[in-house]
Amino acid sequence: MSNLSPSFVGVDVASAHLDIALHPQNIHFRVPNNEAGLDDCLKRLQRLTISAVAMEATGGMERLAASRFQAAGYAVHVLNPRRISNWRQVVARQAKTDRIDALLIAEFAATVPLRQTHVTTPQQRILRDLAARREQIVIAITNSKKQLVRAIVPVIRQSIERQIAFCTQESTRIEREMESIFRQDAGLMRQHELLESIPGIGKLSAMLILAELPEVAFLPPKKLASLVGVAPHPLHSGTKTTKARITGGRARIRSKCYMMAHGSIVHNPWMKTYAHRLLARGKSRREVNIACINKLLHVAHAVLIRDKPWQPEPPIQKNLDQMT
């Protein structure tokens, strides 16, 4: 392998293996998707000048590779698969194999300016997995309660009630495990305390924010809104003008943010005043909720970046007023 020209690395992730491609050298090799395979991959790449490493988000299977590449000092980009799919159409690449996909990702990284992805720490990855499992259990409890309403046969009702009780215990156990992780990490615990100081964000909500949105401590609020999926995007073409809509984002944390915004409107006089002002302007309830989530993200970012608890007068009032 030559190290004269910078290389862009594309990684196609599968559960069993990783396909590694280098652009512009057009080099390809495959390694197992485990610690030993990544050790081998990093040894092969250490003689090269690597500009960036890019891979698609694949439901968590990319996390090990992303963390190892970043620990080795490489700029890592975890991409939305839709971006690679769109790029495939741009370059009119019809064939699809793991090798071709890895090369395609490497070409994309070499052509399109990318923002380095924040790769979470082991504790944050555990928290996110626990939050995801808790969400599954909560959904199961909700579905079971719906079934219980319609159940008539006593044996079935008892079975559903036992299932609800078991799932409730599991949910509590997971929440305690999350609390234990926070107590063991002074930095995470401090961030949790700062978020919990904001009216409308309780103990569990603060844990879920830090588990599902660890970028809240350093990304600008507008980028946070895009990550959550509450950033309105304009839709204008020619003479056609369509109201801006929100799209994409992380569904789990977005649903939690709706509940947090509602609680903040109820318990935070400042947020309540803001919401009523928007309603007086003719905004719909949905638009008000989205605006309140954006404002809540601004405040959460502010208290973390300044390392100061929330105050009755928001520390970023000027910026918040500009948003409205």
Side-chain angles (χ1 to χ4, degrees):
M1 294 184 184
S2 171
N3 61 354
L4 296 178
S5 59
S7 302
F8 291 85
V9 178
V11 184
D12 185 71
V13 181
S15 59
H17 58 260
L18 303 170
D19 281 86
I20 314 295
L22 278 70
H23 178 83
Q25 293 87 348
N26 199 30
I27 295 172
H28 167 264
F29 59 92
R30 174 177 287 186
V31 296
N33 188 4
N34 53 34
E35 293 284 358
L38 285 163
D39 287 339
D40 180 33
C41 175
L42 291 172
K43 286 180 182 178
R44 297 194 192 195
L45 298 180
Q46 66 183 359
R47 292 173 293 172
L48 299 172
T49 301
I50 305 298
S51 296
V53 178
M55 63 192 74
E56 290 179 305
T58 52
M61 291 188 294
E62 80 288 349
R63 293 179 191 168
L64 176 62
S67 61
R68 287 296 306 274
F69 279 118
Q70 189 178 60
Y74 297 121
V76 177
H77 308 278
V78 180
L79 308 172
N80 187 322
R82 184 184 300 175
R83 300 184 70 182
I84 302 302
S85 177
N86 293 340
W87 180 251
R88 183 188 302 278
Q89 297 178 16
V90 170
V91 298
R93 193 79 49 87
Q94 300 299 325
K96 181 172 171 45
T97 64
D98 292 343
R99 178 181 182 276
I100 291 174
D101 285 352
L103 287 169
L104 194 71
I105 294 170
E107 292 173 8
F108 180 83
T111 308
V112 179
L114 298 174
R115 183 182 72 249
Q116 184 170 351
T117 300
H118 169 69
V119 179
T120 54
T121 64
Q123 291 89 345
Q124 289 171 330
R125 288 196 293 273
I126 294 172
L127 283 172
R128 183 165 58 182
D129 289 342
L130 287 171
R133 177 54 185 159
R134 179 188 173 278
E135 180 75 9
Q136 294 169 352
I137 294 173
V138 169
I139 292 174
I141 292 173
T142 301
N143 291 336
S144 295
K145 288 181 177 179
K146 292 178 181 177
Q147 295 167 3
L148 185 62
V149 173
R150 299 190 297 268
I152 300 176
V153 180
V155 173
I156 296 177
R157 290 186 62 86
Q158 293 169 7
S159 174
I160 296 174
E161 288 169 350
R162 287 195 300 270
Q163 183 179 13
I164 293 173
F166 172 77
C167 288
T168 302
Q169 292 174 0
E170 286 298 301
S171 178
T172 302
R173 187 175 293 115
I174 288 175
E175 291 170 13
R176 288 175 180 169
E177 183 63 29
M178 293 177 72
E179 290 179 24
S180 174
I181 293 174
F182 276 95
R183 286 195 297 268
Q184 295 170 17
D185 190 310
L188 281 174
M189 196 64 192
R190 174 58 178 170
Q191 290 182 332
H192 180 273
E193 292 170 354
L194 291 170
L195 290 179
E196 197 175 0
S197 72
I198 303 171
I201 298 182
K203 179 179 180 180
L204 179 59
S205 298
M207 287 195 298
L208 293 176
I209 288 176
L210 293 171
E212 300 281 6
L213 195 67
E215 300 90 343
V216 68
F218 62 89
L219 274 187
K222 288 186 177 180
K223 293 188 181 298
L224 289 175
S226 292
L227 277 180
V228 175
V230 291
H233 298 287
L235 299 171
H236 305 322
S237 179
T239 59
K240 182 179 180 181
T241 301
T242 305
K243 182 180 292 188
R245 297 178 180 177
I246 61 172
T247 183
R250 300 176 184 175
R252 283 205 303 266
I253 190 61
R254 184 170 60 251
S255 63
K256 302 297 182 301
C257 283
Y258 273 106
M259 299 302 296
M260 294 176 211
H262 177 73
S264 186
I265 292 171
V266 172
H267 299 289
N268 188 335
W270 164 74
M271 186 71 83
K272 184 176 182 179
T273 300
Y274 172 67
H276 287 175
R277 188 165 72 245
L278 292 180
L279 287 171
R281 293 183 188 177
K283 301 293 185 180
S284 67
R285 288 283 182 181
R286 184 171 183 271
E287 290 173 326
V288 171
N289 285 336
I290 293 171
C292 288
I293 292 173
N294 273 275
K295 194 154 287 196
L296 204 57
L297 290 173
H298 272 70
V299 175
H301 174 75
V303 298
L304 291 177
I305 206 72
R306 300 185 181 201
D307 195 28
K308 294 181 179 179
W310 184 87
Q311 301 295 326
E313 289 298 327
I316 51 171
Q317 183 65 51
K318 181 178 178 181
N319 292 335
L320 295 180
D321 288 341
Q322 291 175 354
M323 289 183 58
T324 62

